[in-house]
Amino acid sequence: DAGITQSPRHKVTETGTPVTLRCHQTENHRYMYWYRQDPGHGLRLIHYSYGVKDTDKGEVSDGYSVSRSKTEDFLLTLESATSSQTSVYFCAISESHGVMNTEAFFGQGTRLTVV
Amino acid sequence: GENVEQHPSTLSVQEGDSAVIKCTYSDSASNYFPWYKQELGKGPQLIIDIRSNVGEKKDQRIAVTLNKTAKHFSLHITETQPEDSAVYFCAASTGGFKTIFGAGTRLFVKA
């Protein structure tokens, strides 16, 4: 398995509180991603990073921010959690990008419940 | 916007039978089509992929076919086993960072 660790694995938080999820990789891959998984929607990209301090928005980025201060760490922050952000969050990494995509490796997920 | 439709959402087969999952995509610029398997409590894992310059690819009991004209691609699993039970996702990518996933198919293989 690719060396990807997500923390925490489970979290329950109250509406309006900030929450930070962490993704740590030991593969030295340049590209990192945050997805959310909801029934009937598959996986949807929240934010991605193509290098240290280089990040950009995905298709469902509203209410989320990210930071990448080191190659190995990619943080996802819910600035003020809402019930619609209850989901399972996956971090993914990939080695390269370009015209032809390559395999992405996924972490084991973080189940977040906002009450 | 671009989307990937995946059917069926649930599939139940008898052990030893074949299973077929179908996807259609809307963005004609898509050139990479991975399939992921997700077991309970785990993240998705790539099982096979195909690129736009290939019509078919096989890996043991798993095969994927691509029809670029019709914008269809399919996953075929032969001689299914109970350990094949999982959720399967198709995806289509245009390169760069845009990968669109299907909604998933939950496969049950009955022993």
Side-chain angles (χ1 to χ4, degrees), chain A residues 16-86:
Chain A
T17 60
V19 177
T20 295
L21 309 183
R22 181 179 182 240
C23 178
H24 179 78
Q25 61 146 327
T26 57
E27 306 295 323
N28 201 36
H29 283 359
R30 177 179 175 185
Y31 301 91
M32 299 186 75
Y33 315 82
W34 277 107
Y35 286 90
R36 60 177 291 174
Q37 184 177 41
D38 304 290
H41 289 279
L43 292 144
R44 292 181 292 175
L45 183 64
I46 304 171
H47 281 279
Y48 61 91
S49 169
Y50 46 96
V52 173
K53 293 186 169 44
D54 291 325
T55 65
D56 207 344
K57 297 178 180 180
E59 59 182 309
V60 290
S61 60
D62 287 348
Y64 302 95
S65 62
V66 290
S67 66
R68 191 167 178 201
S69 59
K70 298 186 289 185
T71 299
E72 57 266 35
D73 290 327
F74 193 31
L75 304 180
L76 176 71
T77 297
L78 289 65
E79 290 140 12
S80 178
T82 67
S83 58
S84 64
Q85 294 176 311
T86 293

Side-chain angles (χ1 to χ4, degrees), chain A residues 31 37 90 97-99 101 104 107, chain B residues 31 36 38 43 51 89 93 96 99:
Chain A
Y31 301 91
Q37 184 177 41
F90 286 99
H97 258 289
V99 175
N101 267 359
Chain B
N31 54 30
Y36 286 86
Q38 185 178 24
R51 300 187 186 277
F89 292 96
S93 176
T99 298

Side-chain angles (χ1 to χ4, degrees), chain B residues 17-70:
Chain B
D17 288 349
S18 294
V20 180
I21 302 170
K22 298 182 179 182
C23 291
T24 60
Y25 61 98
S26 60
D27 190 342
S28 57
S30 298
N31 54 30
Y32 176 64
F33 306 90
W35 285 88
Y36 286 86
K37 176 183 181 182
Q38 185 178 24
E39 296 176 340
L40 194 62
K42 297 185 178 181
Q45 186 170 14
L46 182 78
I47 54 171
I48 196 167
D49 57 10
I50 192 168
R51 300 187 186 277
S52 58
N53 58 346
V54 176
E56 184 173 357
K57 185 176 178 180
K58 190 173 182 180
D59 183 4
Q60 299 182 333
R61 296 186 296 110
I62 294 173
V64 58
T65 59
L66 172 64
N67 182 332
K68 285 199 67 179
T69 303

